[in-house]
Amino acid sequence: MTDKRIATRDGFGEAIVELGMENPDIFVIDADLGKSCKTGAFLKQLPQQYVDVGIAEQNAAGVAAGLATCGKIPFVVTYAAFASMRMCEQIRQEACYTRQNVKIIGCHGGFTPAFDGGSHQAVEDMGIMSSIPNMKVIMPADYVSAKALVRAAAAEPGPVYLRFTRDAMPVLYEEGTKFEIGKAVQLRDGGDVAILANGDTVHLALTAAQTLAGQGIEARVLDMHTVKPLDAEAVRRCAEEIGRIITVEDHNVINGLGSAVCCVTAELGRGVVRRIGIPDCFGMSAPYTRLMELNGITSARIVETAHALLK
């Protein structure tokens, strides 16, 4: 983990331009949020591959599905709250039901919209998208993984939902690191407790692991960037080899990463899981770090939970 901080939406913005330059079948479908979602450079350089439907998110999903039937690879770009809820029926019916090659970009995920308040903070989006058949759900942890996973999504057949942050996040990975959809990345090994996190909480997991190491407790840290399909094998190893698992997410604890991990361990009949995330409530208008603190999504809470599990 470095001191450098970049929002994952910036990684998306750079990656989509590179992909569009390489492949004329890559299209961006904007819902009048290009500036916030970092597609301005794409419009400037590739206007013939760009469509702005205005504030009409359902229409964006329909246009994307139509383009996909013609062999294009459309990326629908808007806020995560609108992508997962306002467009939900169209995504289900026109992209997932028919297995169209549509990619949904949800920017400003979780608490990162901060002062925009609960109406714009998507705290349930990954759960909604995970419940739709044929959809894959991804949340990169940093700028490097965001660029790599956008590329992976473009190459992956069928619908994919990717969630990005508004706020700058620490850069965790070196350029050129390889990522595979559905395959967790182990960032640290340990045999006392396993910390499974995704997106903007991965750096909190690493900070907590460093603190725990100073206290004689070794934590295995996994970046679970893909919520669906979940890396069930990585979860199984944590359950069988360690038995104590903490999940961390900037998402409702219901139907997010924690719930997905609990499903695996319940079927195995092995392991104890403690979930750290948003406790089934809406957000409010406040600084991002304050919102995380108010909901107990902090490295200190992870350390506290690890000690409780080890007692």
Side-chain angles (χ1 to χ4, degrees), residues 180-209:
E180 182 181 341
I181 293 173
K183 191 76 172 176
V185 178
Q186 183 170 303
L187 294 168
R188 187 179 182 119
D189 200 10
D192 296 319
V193 65
I195 307 172
L196 280 53
N198 65 3
D200 51 324
T201 65
V202 175
H203 75 96
L204 298 176
L206 285 170
T207 299

Side-chain angles (χ1 to χ4, degrees), residues 104-121:
I104 310 296
I105 303 300
C107 287
H108 294 52
F111 280 145
T112 64
F115 291 107
D116 290 343
S119 63
H120 284 57
Q121 293 160 2

Side-chain angles (χ1 to χ4, degrees), residues 2 12 30 44 61 67 108 115 134 137 151 212 266 294 301:
T2 69
F12 162 70
D30 255 329
K44 184 176 181 180
L67 285 168
H108 294 52
F115 291 107
N134 299 326
V137 179
R151 282 190 166 274
L212 288 166
L294 286 169
R301 173 81 180 284

Side-chain angles (χ1 to χ4, degrees), residues 14-85:
E14 292 184 24
I16 198 65
V17 171
E18 294 171 3
L19 285 166
M21 298 287 283
E22 295 166 11
N23 184 354
D25 287 334
I26 297 285
F27 271 66
V28 164
I29 317 300
D30 255 329
D32 203 39
L33 285 169
K35 182 178 180 181
S36 295
C37 298
K38 301 297 181 179
T39 56
F42 190 97
L43 169 60
K44 184 176 181 180
Q45 297 184 52
L46 299 160
Q48 72 280 8
Q49 295 165 237
Y50 177 93
V51 180
D52 191 338
V53 301
I55 306 173
E57 289 84 1
Q58 295 98 328
N59 192 33
V63 169
L67 285 168
T69 66
C70 300
K72 308 302 181 185
I73 307 173
F75 282 72
V76 183
V77 184
T78 185
Y79 284 3
F82 307 147
S84 61
M85 288 175 274

